[in-house]
Amino acid sequence: MVRQQKKGAQNITVAVRVRPLTKVERDRHAYPTTKVLDHEHVLVSDPDDKMGGLDYLRLDKTKTKHYCFDHSFGPEAAQAEVYAQTARELVPRVVEGYNACCFAYGATGAGKTFTMMGNLEMSGVIPLTLEDLMQQVLEGGEETLFKVSMQYVEIYNEKIKDLLNPSDANLDVREVPSKGTYVAGASEKLVSSASECMQMMHEGNLYRTTEATACNEVSSRSHAVLQMSVHSKPRFGEGAAKLGEPRMI
């Protein structure tokens, strides 16, 4: 899901991605129950034997559900395609001064980490977003000075831990009129490139809470929140001496 906010209004885009069957699922002869029909529509079937036997009371009932989303991606969808249809359009809005948010939601083993982070061969939404963000900041540097910083925290069992400074493991969420909602005490690091951001994230991920589950041997048992803040000011003219408001993605 991606969200961008403009002058009091808001725009929310909802996308769904269907992952392929895992090796464990194929080995036990499982079959997919979700089918992407086109770029928006998805069919979800309800197997009769999901409870270990046939549901004879409902054999004559149609249990297939039809859903419509802003974007639907099948197992064959590439990482770049998912990014292009979801988070990419948020980046220029952030540089212009709007707030934006992108997050992944799903059950354990649904593929959230792969979609957001990717792997060495296929970058996910976060690395691709960082690359575009830094590129646009560099391109806009002739008339505007930019300062980019990042914050990376973990939420687990109602406790917030600073992944950039793991010694801070019990932070508070606060809200003030001048600043809005923020994590008090979380460190904020200045960054100058997408690779520097990714390096800090990889180091922070070493401190994330993981635990094996039936669906995923190294499942992340927590929520990780990355916040990028872009501060800007004009190089010349009125206002050049004062730093602008932060833009967050």
Side-chain angles (χ1 to χ4, degrees), residues 17 34 38 56 65 71 96 106 139 163 170 204 213 220 236:
R17 187 180 194 183
T34 305
D38 53 34
Y56 291 100
K65 303 296 183 181
H71 302 287
E96 291 171 6
E139 291 176 353
L163 293 174
N170 196 10
T213 68
S220 298
F236 315 103

Side-chain angles (χ1 to χ4, degrees), residues 153-189:
V153 300
E154 174 191 71
I155 304 174
Y156 179 65
N157 281 349
E158 300 184 0
K159 292 184 178 180
I160 302 176
K161 178 170 66 176
D162 186 352
L163 293 174
L164 300 181
N165 183 17
S167 60
D168 292 336
N170 196 10
L171 304 176
D172 295 323
V173 176
R174 299 178 184 175
E175 184 174 3
V176 295
S178 60
K179 192 174 183 179
T181 304
Y182 69 102
V183 179
S187 58
E188 191 168 355
K189 306 289 188 180

Side-chain angles (χ1 to χ4, degrees), residues 6-32:
K6 299 181 179 180
K7 297 181 180 178
Q10 64 183 23
N11 181 31
I12 297 177
T13 299
V14 180
V16 64
R17 187 180 194 183
V18 179
R19 66 163 175 79
L21 295 179
T22 64
K23 182 179 184 302
V24 173
E25 292 167 337
R26 294 194 302 270
D27 289 345
R28 60 183 174 87
H29 305 293
Y31 57 91

Side-chain angles (χ1 to χ4, degrees), residues 13-67:
T13 299
V14 180
V16 64
R17 187 180 194 183
V18 179
R19 66 163 175 79
L21 295 179
T22 64
K23 182 179 184 302
V24 173
E25 292 167 337
R26 294 194 302 270
D27 289 345
R28 60 183 174 87
H29 305 293
Y31 57 91
T33 59
T34 305
K35 181 179 181 181
V36 177
L37 297 180
D38 53 34
H39 296 298
E40 297 179 353
H41 299 87
V42 176
L43 285 181
V44 180
S45 60
D46 188 6
D48 289 325
D49 60 349
K50 65 180 181 298
M51 301 301 292
L54 294 178
D55 187 352
Y56 291 100
L57 296 178
R58 294 180 174 83
L59 286 178
D60 59 341
K61 303 294 183 181
T62 300
K63 290 174 285 186
T64 298
K65 303 296 183 181
H66 184 187
Y67 299 96

Side-chain angles (χ1 to χ4, degrees), residues 2 39 46-47 51 61 112 125 130-131 137 166 218 232:
V2 294
H39 296 298
D46 188 6
M51 301 301 292
K61 303 294 183 181
K112 301 183 296 296
V125 169
L130 292 175
E131 290 176 4
V137 165
V218 290
S232 64

